Amino acid sequence: MRRFLSIVTLVLASAAPVAAHGVLLPEDKDVSPLAMLSHKVNIAIEDQVAVTSVEQAFRNHTESTLEATYVFPVPAGAAINRFSMTVNGKEVKAELIDAAKARDIYTSLVRRTRNAALLDYVGHGLFRVRVPAIAPKSDQKLALSYTAVAPREGETVEYTYPLKADGALTRTLDEFAINATIKSQHAVQNVYSPTHAIDIKRVNDREATVAFSRNQGMLDKDFQLFYSQGKKDVGVTVLTHRPQGDDGGYFLMLVSPNVQMPKDFEVPRDTVLVLDTSSSMKGVKIEQAKKALKFCLGNLGAKDRFGMLTFSANITKYQDKLEANDKDAVAKAKKWVDDLEVVKGTNINDALLAALEMRSDDPTRTFNIIFFTDGMPSVSVTNPEQILKNVQAKNLANTRIFTFGVGDDVNASFLDRLAEQTRALSTYVRPSEDIEAKVSRLYDKISLPVLANLKLNVGPDVHLEEVYPQQLPDLFQGGQLVVLGRYRGHGLAEVKLTGNVGKDAKEFAHKVNFAERTGDEREFVEQLWARRKVGYLLDQIRVNGEKKEMVDEVVTLAKKYGITTPYTSYFIVPEGPLAFGGNRKGLEKGPMALTATAPGAAPLKVSDFAKQNQAKPGELAANRGLFEEGKYKNLPAGEQLSKEERDAVQDAKSQKDAYDKARAAFAKRDYANVQNGKLGVDLSLQTQNLRNQSRLSQTALRRVGARNLLEIGGVWIDEGYDPKAPAVTVKAMSDAYFRILERHKEVKEVFRLGSHLVWLTPSGTVLIIDTNDGKTKLADDEIDGLFVAKK
């Protein structure tokens, strides 16, 4: 299979990122570009000055010695510090070509690799290295570094490492890793990536490290990193997106405390552990739960106190009062846990009320309940709605109740709402998961409270709307809140964050510029907001039943932003590295149909493929759903998938199955099924992901300009495509293809989707791009006519 490679360069002070996809090209034009074995990036940012070091290894997959040329674009202002490549003991030199001379080289690269993502090369200088000989079946290593200044807006610094390439065509064979160190003379706050699941470690208030690593990494989206520099104990960073000024804007707010907080923020904790010991917990569940409780007891703070109770049909307290954290008390409590046994019955209502009664009258101490259950209420009050009302009436001091659903036989909707109404979190432990590991992650997250009962105010000229989460959770040491919403008005405004430290009120004020108009460089803010809103709406539908206006809003948002829901499950795309699909081996030969073509038959034309999948307007979505189902059930013969790929496929399949079952349950008004049991837990996890989403996810839909295009089998098809409309087919990488790009640069974003696409032009004519079919020449007036808006 043909593989394409990627090396990236740093976005400098220019406003728009530059995608930089380096390739190692054999001189023999019949040989594919060499596969990338590994791609390691180390970034050192100190007071905005960023030094990027890249190490790559490429593999000669042939039986021959190859001469090759390595090229990558150089953004304006980049200072290359080092390049290192040794062949036969000699260092190889590189040359720098200016942008004017590099244009023809870039064009030939796009033609040869058939990688539309390389279109972003045009207009930039070229760094070129000639490699004299690469031995058969061997690897070639390269290393380079360069320095640039990362742009800053207010207190926020933005670093972008361009990676975006043509989908599954660009991936590493082995490893992709990014490591970054951030240092500043001021406090480093609110380190955040909207694109990659990074691990953040705070060395101290002025230094942080960031890491991202994945086997068989997909180089499919730019790596973006934001951080702010501040002096306050709690930092607030706001990113705005407002492409159309009159319609209001979108904001993403990051809130995080410093690593070293003053002593007056230290608040002692009281924690009550509540464990379900009903008969369904017998066996592995109760043993795991005991380990979880003992973990909590072993990780109490020096000034903390604890209580414990168990419930089945009856309630059993360890002690009637809270115990101080000392060695003897904890040892005695652990022994009590070891001796616990299971009994019939599940009295959730009385257990929660008994735990709430253990709260002291001391307002300087925080009070939390950690609640473990594997079942549904069967004793005393059994109606979940009534239990929620009883808890709310009893919980006059804003106690947080963190819920753990153990296994799949729980009312997930009830546990979600119990946690949400107390500003806490719900967690689920599936049958194959380790409860102790999940408890330890929660405990790490809530071990050092900083601010409780948070409120957000902005004014007077800026108004916030549709803010998610609707109730701000507590802020903990080492944690970070991500808040998304809409805003009206614009200009410099004071953002006030208020909260409680024990009984004392604290306020933090930050001056923030809410933009009147922005470009598309932070479009992720709007997309993440839409996902959170959809998650909230889906939860409302699960609890209260379908209402037409609510369903319509979910569908509208989902279709606009490519969000997978029970109503749009066809948008599902596996996350992570994915090297298979209906088009994996077909890209060089043309797209594959939903029904297999006969062996040796000519590849299906993109135009025929589009007609097959949307013979009538509106059929495309349903056909994509069928295509995905077939792909998951029947992997192409001979494919060997890695563990990461299989996990990605299984996760996608599970999510689609859950949403399809939910849609069927909604249609039957079977709301109990979407709240309880395995499906209830599946949906809770999916909606949690949407409600808390803080980074971009894969989707089968792309919005380019005012058009939505849906991917099916490696072909991007305009949702408005009508087979009866006039159409013109252009061969990818032909003279006509490049002439269209030259005369109408706005089409570059469409072409970057790939070399198999169907797009409805402004004139109403369908433009089809195909690698094996179509015109190679078009007159300028024919091209320009495609872009004259239809009246």
Side-chain angles (χ1 to χ4, degrees), residues 275-288:
L275 176 62
D276 183 345
T277 54
S278 60
S279 56
S280 58
M281 287 286 289
K282 186 177 181 179
V284 175
K285 287 183 184 179
I286 192 66
E287 294 306 317
Q288 277 203 327

Side-chain angles (χ1 to χ4, degrees), residues 232-524:
K232 294 183 172 67
D233 291 329
V234 175
V236 174
T237 302
V238 177
L239 307 176
T240 60
H241 174 65
R242 193 171 189 169
Q244 298 180 7
D246 294 341
D247 293 339
Y250 304 84
F251 73 88
L252 181 149
M253 184 177 297
L254 305 167
V255 182
S256 66
N258 284 338
V259 174
Q260 299 156 329
M261 295 294 288
K263 289 288 185 182
D264 59 354
F265 277 85
E266 292 184 6
V267 179
R269 295 178 305 161
D270 291 339
T271 301
V272 174
L273 306 172
V274 182
L275 176 62
D276 183 345
T277 54
S278 60
S279 56
S280 58
M281 287 286 289
K282 186 177 181 179
V284 175
K285 287 183 184 179
I286 192 66
E287 294 306 317
Q288 277 203 327
K290 289 179 180 181
K291 287 173 60 180
L293 261 63
K294 289 191 288 186
F295 174 88
C296 294
L297 292 170
N299 286 272
L300 295 167
K303 297 180 181 179
D304 290 352
R305 299 185 304 191
F306 70 92
M308 288 190 296
L309 64 85
T310 64
F311 68 96
S312 51
N314 299 306
I315 311 303
T316 302
K317 288 185 179 180
Y318 169 62
Q319 298 282 2
D320 287 332
K321 61 182 180 62
L322 295 168
E323 293 279 302
N325 176 26
D326 64 56
K327 185 177 180 180
D328 291 340
V330 170
K332 183 180 177 183
K334 288 182 178 180
K335 176 65 169 60
W336 185 79
V337 171
D338 284 332
D339 294 337
L340 291 175
E341 295 181 354
V342 297
V343 187
K344 289 185 178 180
T346 307
N347 190 347
I348 289 177
N349 181 80
D350 293 358
L352 290 169
L353 299 184
L356 287 168
E357 288 176 354
M358 295 185 72
R359 179 164 194 154
S360 73
D361 295 328
D362 187 348
T364 65
R365 304 183 68 89
T366 66
F367 185 78
N368 296 321
I369 294 172
I370 302 180
F371 180 77
F372 301 87
T373 184
D374 80 326
M376 303 180 198
S378 62
V379 176
S380 184
V381 180
T382 58
N383 184 333
E385 294 295 329
Q386 188 59 52
I387 296 174
L388 289 170
K389 291 178 181 178
N390 293 346
V391 169
Q392 194 169 27
K394 185 80 172 179
N395 187 17
L396 300 178
N398 294 320
T399 295
R400 309 298 189 246
I401 302 177
F402 296 90
T403 62
F404 274 83
V406 184
D408 289 335
D409 296 324
V410 295
N411 184 323
S413 180
F414 163 71
L415 294 179
D416 288 345
R417 294 165 67 196
L418 179 61
E420 185 178 4
Q421 77 175 20
T422 63
R423 298 194 183 201
L425 301 171
S426 56
T427 303
Y428 294 93
V429 186
R430 310 310 289 266
S432 60
E433 294 179 325
D434 183 356
I435 189 173
E436 184 180 6
K438 292 213 167 185
V439 171
S440 67
R441 286 197 288 271
L442 173 69
Y443 227 64
D444 288 343
K445 189 179 294 185
I446 67 171
S447 59
L448 296 172
V450 173
L451 287 174
N453 305 320
L454 292 182
K455 292 183 180 179
L456 183 65
N457 290 291
V458 179
D461 298 325
V462 173
H463 303 281
L464 305 186
E465 303 173 349
E466 297 186 277
V467 177
Y468 303 100
Q470 294 186 326
Q471 275 198 123
L472 297 184
D474 296 340
L475 182 64
F476 297 93
Q477 187 68 49
Q480 179 171 267
L481 302 184
V482 181
V483 183
L484 288 120
R486 302 203 65 177
Y487 70 91
R488 301 283 176 183
H490 61 86
L492 198 63
E494 188 173 60
V495 174
K496 288 184 179 179
L497 183 73
T498 60
N500 296 106
V501 181
K503 64 179 181 179
D504 299 324
K506 296 280 185 178
E507 180 179 281
F508 299 90
H510 294 258
K511 291 289 186 180
V512 172
N513 181 43
F514 287 85
E516 182 178 8
R517 192 74 177 261
T518 68
D520 292 329
E521 60 274 9
R522 293 180 182 172
E523 186 180 12
F524 65 85

Side-chain angles (χ1 to χ4, degrees), residues 10 37 113 184 200 228 279 341 363 365 373 403 451 458 475 538 549 555 618 637 678:
L10 174 65
L37 183 65
T113 63
S184 175
I200 304 169
S228 59
S279 56
E341 295 181 354
R365 304 183 68 89
T373 184
T403 62
L451 287 174
V458 179
L475 182 64
L538 289 176
E549 61 273 17
V555 172
K678 182 179 184 302

Side-chain angles (χ1 to χ4, degrees), residues 582-583 585-586 589-606 608-609 612 627:
N583 209 33
K585 292 186 174 178
K589 299 179 181 179
M592 298 176 69
L594 286 173
T595 55
T597 55
L604 193 66
K605 293 179 181 180
V606 169
D608 292 337
F609 185 77
Q612 184 184 75
F627 186 91

